[in-house]
Amino acid sequence: MLAWAQDLGLVAGVFEEKRLVAMRLGEFAGLTVPGASAGDLELTAQWAAFICLVDDRFDRSWVDVHPEEVASLFNRLLKVLTGSGTAGSGSGMEQALDDLWRRTAPRMSTQWRERFVADYRDFALATCEEAAGRTNQIRPGLSDYVLRRRRTITALPMADILECTADATWPVLSAGEDIVDALRLAAADVAGWTNDLVSAEDDLREDRDNLLTVLGRERGCSLPSAREQVIGMRSDRVRQFHALAASLTATAAPGIERDGVRRYVAALGSFVAATLHWLDVTHRFDARWSPGHPGPCD
């Protein structure tokens, strides 16, 4: 994975190379798609690296980033996904996305490609909204933060990728589509809230909004109290995820339909479990990675 990121210019120098290794994304991929081929394990890890590095380049450069720069970069990335960009040109992020897309999209249906682009476009829009809010010093309320966090965590695009690498496509159902949507949102919330629990100290250093600080500000409580409340919220959301998974499986008709649902539910379940474990062991948020970061639009 490191060689791939180096070849495409996704990592900028030794600092980012070491940080990428410290993220342990190979371990994350192994837990997320445990039965996948070596090629699909590699593809999963590379998509995770791209998603993390794009996200972290913004998070660690807020003092240098203007909303229009964020919008410009995402416009270029979305052109890669829609085929309106120029192949082989652009930044390392554009070249990495082009490589990933060329190895993923042809394997999937037109419907899947449209859904992935829509999910990534919504992530881009939410990130631009977040950048504008920070520039204008607008502090979100708790409900607004929760809604935006499920969009900025990039869990839904990653869930789309798992349809490919875990061979678990969106199930075709005679009923229950709303439960599939609810299951995906629950997975995104678990990922986002767990990320915020792990990154709280890092976010405080960088003066970024975090679920703990937003909740503490709104409820007038200390950071330790906010942490306990978020842990409770996360536990409730995990239980809701498993209840939705059981309900979805029960809704599916016996036979091929239920088999497809089970594969999809198992893939999302592995993603949630892997995320909970990985965020506990990754060194992505260590203080040593804070100084000397490059700009997001290099």
Side-chain angles (χ1 to χ4, degrees):
M1 185 178 63
L2 178 59
W4 169 82
Q6 290 170 326
D7 289 344
L8 291 170
L10 184 59
V11 284
V14 175
F15 177 84
E16 284 199 346
E17 292 170 4
K18 290 182 177 179
R19 188 161 184 265
L20 178 58
V21 171
M23 289 184 193
R24 300 170 68 170
L25 290 169
E27 182 175 347
F28 170 75
L31 293 168
T32 303
V33 286
S37 67
D40 280 337
L41 280 168
E42 181 179 64
L43 186 59
T44 302
Q46 290 168 348
W47 268 109
F50 169 78
I51 285 170
C52 286
L53 290 172
V54 169
D55 183 62
D56 289 350
R57 198 74 71 87
F58 288 129
D59 279 351
R60 294 169 179 277
S61 308
W62 281 118
V63 295
D64 305 316
V65 176
H66 300 288
E68 57 269 22
E69 292 179 301
V70 180
S72 175
L73 174 61
F74 277 122
N75 283 337
R76 298 197 305 271
L77 292 177
L78 286 165
K79 284 182 178 179
V80 173
L81 297 177
T82 59
S84 56
T86 303
S89 65
S91 69
M93 285 182 280
E94 291 163 81
Q95 294 185 57
L97 181 57
D98 181 68
D99 175 70
L100 291 168
W101 193 237
R102 287 173 182 276
R103 291 188 286 134
T104 306
R107 298 169 55 180
M108 307 302 290
S109 67
T110 299
Q111 185 180 24
W112 178 92
R113 293 194 291 271
E114 291 173 349
R115 184 170 66 254
F116 181 90
V117 172
D119 285 339
Y120 201 81
R121 180 176 284 115
D122 190 55
F123 157 69
L125 178 61
T127 305
C128 291
E129 292 170 358
E130 190 176 59
R134 186 168 178 85
T135 297
N136 296 322
Q137 298 184 328
I138 299 172
R139 295 292 189 179
L142 181 59
S143 60
D144 288 340
Y145 180 84
V146 168
L147 289 174
R148 185 179 293 166
R149 189 67 179 115
R150 69 168 52 145
R151 299 164 63 207
T152 60
I153 190 59
T154 335
L156 296 184
M158 195 67 208
D160 295 332
I161 296 303
L162 299 182
E163 291 185 49
C164 175
T165 59
D167 190 23
T169 56
W170 184 291
V172 178
L173 294 168
S174 54
E177 289 288 336
D178 56 334
I179 306 178
V180 177
D181 289 332
L183 187 71
R184 281 163 48 91
L185 294 181
D189 286 343
V190 170
W193 301 352
T194 304
N195 186 291
D196 281 15
L197 282 165
V198 176
S199 67
E201 288 74 18
D202 183 53
D203 291 333
L204 281 171
R205 285 192 300 269
E206 300 289 332
D207 190 29
R208 291 189 298 265
D209 283 322
N210 178 293
L211 182 55
L212 280 70
T213 55
V214 173
L215 184 148
R217 183 170 63 239
E218 183 157 306
R219 297 181 179 176
C221 60
S222 66
L223 191 63
S225 175
R227 178 178 291 278
E228 289 304 312
Q229 292 179 62
V230 172
I231 289 172
M233 288 171 57
R234 195 264 310 271
S235 297
D236 289 342
R237 204 66 171 120
V238 171
R239 285 191 289 270
Q240 290 167 6
F241 174 85
H242 289 298
L244 286 164
S247 177
L248 181 61
T249 303
T251 299
I256 295 174
E257 185 177 88
R258 184 163 294 174
D259 289 342
V261 167
R262 284 173 173 161
R263 284 196 304 274
Y264 186 80
V265 166
L268 274 186
S270 292
F271 171 63
V272 168
T275 299
L276 291 170
H277 172 79
W278 174 70
L279 284 169
D280 191 47
V281 301
T282 181
H283 294 287
R284 179 183 178 193
F285 306 108
D286 286 5
R288 68 179 182 272
W289 306 121
S290 294
H293 48 267
C297 302
D298 291 353

